[in-house]
Each structure stands twice: as structure tokens, then as C-alpha cells.
Amino acid sequence: MLFTGVGALIRKELLDLLKDPKSALSIFFPIFLFLVLFVFASTKDVENSSVVIFNQDRGTHSVDLLDDIVNTNIFKETIYVNSQKDLEKNIDNENAFIGLSIPHDFSKNIDLGKKSDILIITDGRRTNSANIVFGYLSQILAKFQIKSSKNVMQNAPSVTVRTWYNPNKNQKWFSITNLVCMIIVSQAISLTALAITREKEQGTFDQLLVSPIQPLGMLIGKTTPSIIISLFMGACVMFLGSWMYGVPINGSLLLMLFSMTVYVISVVGIGVCIAAFANTQQQAMLGTFIIQMPMSSLSGLMSPVESIENPLMSLFTKCNPVVYGNTLVKGIMIKDMSFFGALESIIPIILIGAVVLSIACFVFAKKHRIKIF
């Protein structure tokens, strides 16, 4: 029988993982560590930044512009300097991300209807933060330009901006939904790969193969604890993130459970594939690290998947289950995605899992001279 002894093997694996306090701590502590460190470290919001200003103009328009900059809550400090050299020095010493130099004829040119240029200097050593702050400053300058130009004011359209699904543009919502998939990938792959390679190291893997448990039942028994623990950790991150940071859970919990189960099985298949090639836990850990880095980096966490232009990298994103997992978590939690909408991401995950598990079973069968199916 296929499932003979599978239940006992699942219980054995769960006891091996949870009975040791150090092992249990290493599994569950990352939940709380990531919820604190990852959420704040990965935010793309730039708060409490500083701006350095060299104002050579003493007209009313430059004063109005500086009032607009100072009265925002973007910059914690506005540094005024008396020369271009001092402005550059503050940028060089990292006292500010961005600097603003206003020419002496700024107000005069505006009154005469002429073009007046402003020099903005950003710190290229901190490109991401500087670009974000530059975006903030550009919005202030655009509003000032409309306000100060009578011709533009007469013809300016009325613009209303509405942000769907995340009205306050809270970056933590983005971080928490990504963290659900990241914690699953981190644990599912490593736990599965280490569980199988541990048997190889201890010399008990061959004993399992000659036991009454069928080879396929053995793989099911070794991977089921990883699936259960990974699902539990993903649920913890989702509910703790909702409680701690106010991330909404608008969609169906049943659909979320189904989607994440499919996702976890696909990711566990990658762990089985690593274990098929690895003979020791050290090799499995190295393989897990090599696989996890590109999976996380090219999942939309660091930059939008749509912005990846390299054909090879773009092809990898289409084969990356984390990309589809992130889409599912965001769609169900924030957007209240329907079942048919979720199928667009669930089907690719199933296909990826089927391919990876087939490769793993083929390698196992060839390496250990067994018949999986």
C-alpha cells in the first residue's frame, strides 16, 4: 500500500523538528525577526531626510518656494548655506540626500514670464533614497510652478488622484505581503532538503527504501512536515502582520489556504530536487542558498518584475513560483481576488511544481535504483 507507514514517518519528522528547543527556535524565531527587521529595512519610504538649500534670490517667489518645502513633513531638517561650495560639502559629507540651488534672478524671471532654472544635486552613493526624495521635491516644484504661473493657472486642469487598494500608500502593506511568501520559501526549501539529506548522512536513507514504506510514500512522509510548518508560519506572518501593521485581509481565507497550499507544495518540490542532488546537509544548505537568492531577488521584492529587460532574467521570473505567490497574497489580502482571478497564478505554480517534482523523482530513481511510481 502506498500510504503504509507514512503517518508514522510524518510523526517522526515532526518530533525531530520540534522536540529539540534549539531546532524549534531556529524554525519559528525568524517570524518575529522578519516582522520587525524586514518590514522596516525593506521600506521604500524615505522619512526624516534633510535638504540643503543655497538661495541666491531674495524675492517673494523664492521665499514662497522655500515655505512650501519647509512646511512639508518630508524633510526633518532644512540646511541653509551661503555658497555653492558649502552646498556641495554638505552633500559630500552625507548631511543630506539632496541639495537645491536657487539662482539670483529666480523671482525676477518669474515676474517677467521668463524661464528660470533651479539646480538640484542628489547623492548618487545613496541612489534609491536620493531618487525617492527627488520625487518628493519634484512634486513640490510642480505645484509651485502651477501656483506661480498665471497662464498655467488659467488653463490647468483639475486633477484628482485616487489610490486603489492602498489609499494611504502604506509601504508596510507591500512588505508584509512579500514576507508571507519569503518565509515560506525560506523554510519549505531548507526543511525539506535538510530532512532528506540528514537521512543520507546518518545512513538511514537506504533503510527507509527497503522498509515497507513505498518510495513515493517515503517522499510524502518526509515533505509533509515541511508543508505543515511552512503553512503555519505563513499564516502567522499574515495574521501578525494584520494585527501589528494593519494590513487588511479582504479576501477569502479558504482561497488563501488553497493557494498557499499549492504554492508550498511547489516550493517543497524545489527542496526535494536539491536533496536529490545533495549527499550531505552542507551541500543541501549551499544549494538552498544558491536557489533562494535569485528566487527572492527576481520576485518583485526589490524591483518590479515588469522592469526586468534582460531576456534570460525575464524568462526566469516566469519560472519563479515566488512571483506568482506574491501576486496571490497581494491579490487575496488587499484586492479580494476572485477564484478565477487567482487561477491565473495558481496554474503556473502547479506547472512549475510538476516539472520540479518530476525532475527530483527522476534523479532519485536513477541515483538509488528505485521505482518511484
Side-chain angles (χ1 to χ4, degrees):
M1 294 294 292
L2 174 61
F3 296 103
T4 300
V6 173
L9 184 58
I10 293 173
R11 287 194 296 272
K12 169 191 170 294
E13 288 298 316
L14 285 173
L15 287 174
D16 286 343
L17 290 172
L18 302 177
K19 70 179 180 180
D20 182 12
K22 293 182 181 179
S23 176
L25 182 64
S26 65
I27 293 173
F28 296 107
F29 182 69
I31 295 177
F32 306 99
L33 187 65
F34 284 1
L35 278 172
V36 176
L37 294 183
F38 174 81
V39 170
F40 288 99
S42 67
T43 180
K44 293 181 174 61
D45 295 330
V46 177
E47 300 174 349
N48 301 320
S49 58
S50 299
V51 59
V52 55
I53 296 175
F54 173 39
N55 183 16
Q56 304 173 66
D57 180 68
R58 294 295 180 264
T60 57
H61 294 291
S62 64
V63 173
D64 290 341
L65 175 59
L66 295 182
D67 285 342
D68 290 342
I69 295 174
V70 173
N71 290 332
T72 62
N73 57 357
I74 298 171
F75 303 106
K76 71 169 183 179
E77 183 183 7
T78 304
I79 305 171
Y80 294 96
V81 295
N82 297 318
S83 67
Q84 185 72 19
K85 186 177 180 180
D86 289 338
L87 184 148
E88 295 172 358
K89 185 178 180 181
N90 275 273
I91 298 292
D92 185 56
N93 294 335
E94 300 186 5
N95 295 328
F97 290 130
I98 196 164
L100 187 70
S101 179
I102 302 175
H104 63 87
D105 56 354
F106 178 74
S107 296
K108 179 181 176 181
N109 287 338
I110 290 178
D111 290 333
L112 295 176
K114 296 181 180 180
K115 181 181 178 182
S116 184
D117 296 326
I118 294 177
L119 174 64
I120 297 177
I121 299 176
T122 61
D123 189 350
R125 294 166 297 182
R126 296 177 285 181
T127 308
N128 186 54
S129 299
N131 286 338
I132 294 171
V133 174
F134 174 72
Y136 295 152
L137 190 57
S138 298
Q139 294 177 11
I140 296 173
L141 293 174
K143 291 178 181 178
F144 172 79
Q145 185 180 19
I146 294 175
K147 182 174 65 175
S148 61
S149 174
K150 293 181 180 179
N151 293 331
V152 176
M153 278 296 294
Q154 291 174 357
N155 300 316
S158 175
V159 179
T160 302
V161 179
R162 295 178 180 175
T163 304
W164 285 11
Y165 311 121
N166 189 357
N168 296 324
K169 300 180 182 179
N170 191 335
Q171 182 65 28
K172 292 183 178 62
W173 292 18
F174 174 82
S175 301
I176 290 295
T177 50
N178 279 318
L179 183 56
V180 173
C181 291
M182 276 192 61
I183 199 78
I184 288 175
V185 165
S186 174
Q187 296 299 319
I189 295 180
S190 59
L191 289 177
T192 303
L194 292 176
I196 297 175
T197 53
R198 183 172 61 248
E199 300 286 353
K200 291 183 178 182
E201 274 193 347
Q202 294 174 351
T204 55
F205 187 76
D206 291 332
Q207 296 177 13
L208 285 174
L209 293 178
V210 297
S211 68
I213 305 176
Q214 296 293 322
L216 181 58
M218 183 268 293
L219 289 178
I220 293 173
K222 298 294 288 186
T223 56
T224 300
S226 301
I227 295 172
I228 294 172
I229 292 174
S230 300
L231 283 174
F232 175 76
M233 294 180 72
C236 286
V237 171
M238 183 176 69
F239 289 113
L240 286 174
S242 179
W243 173 61
M244 293 171 65
Y245 302 107
V247 184
I249 305 177
N250 296 322
S252 167
L253 291 178
L254 189 61
L255 178 59
M256 176 66 81
L257 177 61
F258 173 73
S259 302
M260 287 300 98
T261 301
V262 173
Y263 172 70
V264 171
I265 293 174
S266 176
V267 172
V268 162
I270 298 173
V272 175
C273 197
I274 292 172
F277 289 96
N279 294 317
T280 65
Q281 293 187 72
Q282 186 177 10
Q283 292 175 357
M285 291 176 65
L286 181 60
T288 299
F289 176 77
I290 293 172
I291 291 293
Q292 282 185 18
M293 286 298 293
M295 285 180 65
S296 300
S297 302
L298 299 176
S299 65
L301 173 64
M302 298 181 180
S303 61
V305 175
E306 295 78 12
S307 66
I308 299 175
E309 298 180 354
N310 185 286
L312 182 60
M313 296 297 101
S314 180
L315 178 62
F316 181 82
T317 60
K318 290 180 172 57
C319 303
N320 187 0
V322 187
V323 174
Y324 303 103
N326 283 336
T327 302
L328 286 170
V329 174
K330 288 184 178 69
I332 296 172
M333 287 184 66
I334 299 176
K335 186 182 174 182
D336 189 13
M337 181 184 285
S338 67
F339 174 76
F340 294 102
L343 278 179
E344 295 180 7
S345 297
I346 292 174
I347 292 175
I349 291 176
I350 293 174
L351 294 176
I352 293 169
V355 170
V356 172
L357 284 170
S358 297
I359 294 172
C361 290
F362 174 78
V363 173
F364 265 119
K366 191 173 182 64
K367 196 171 185 180
H368 297 280
R369 299 177 183 179
I370 57 176
K371 186 176 181 181
I372 301 294
F373 298 101

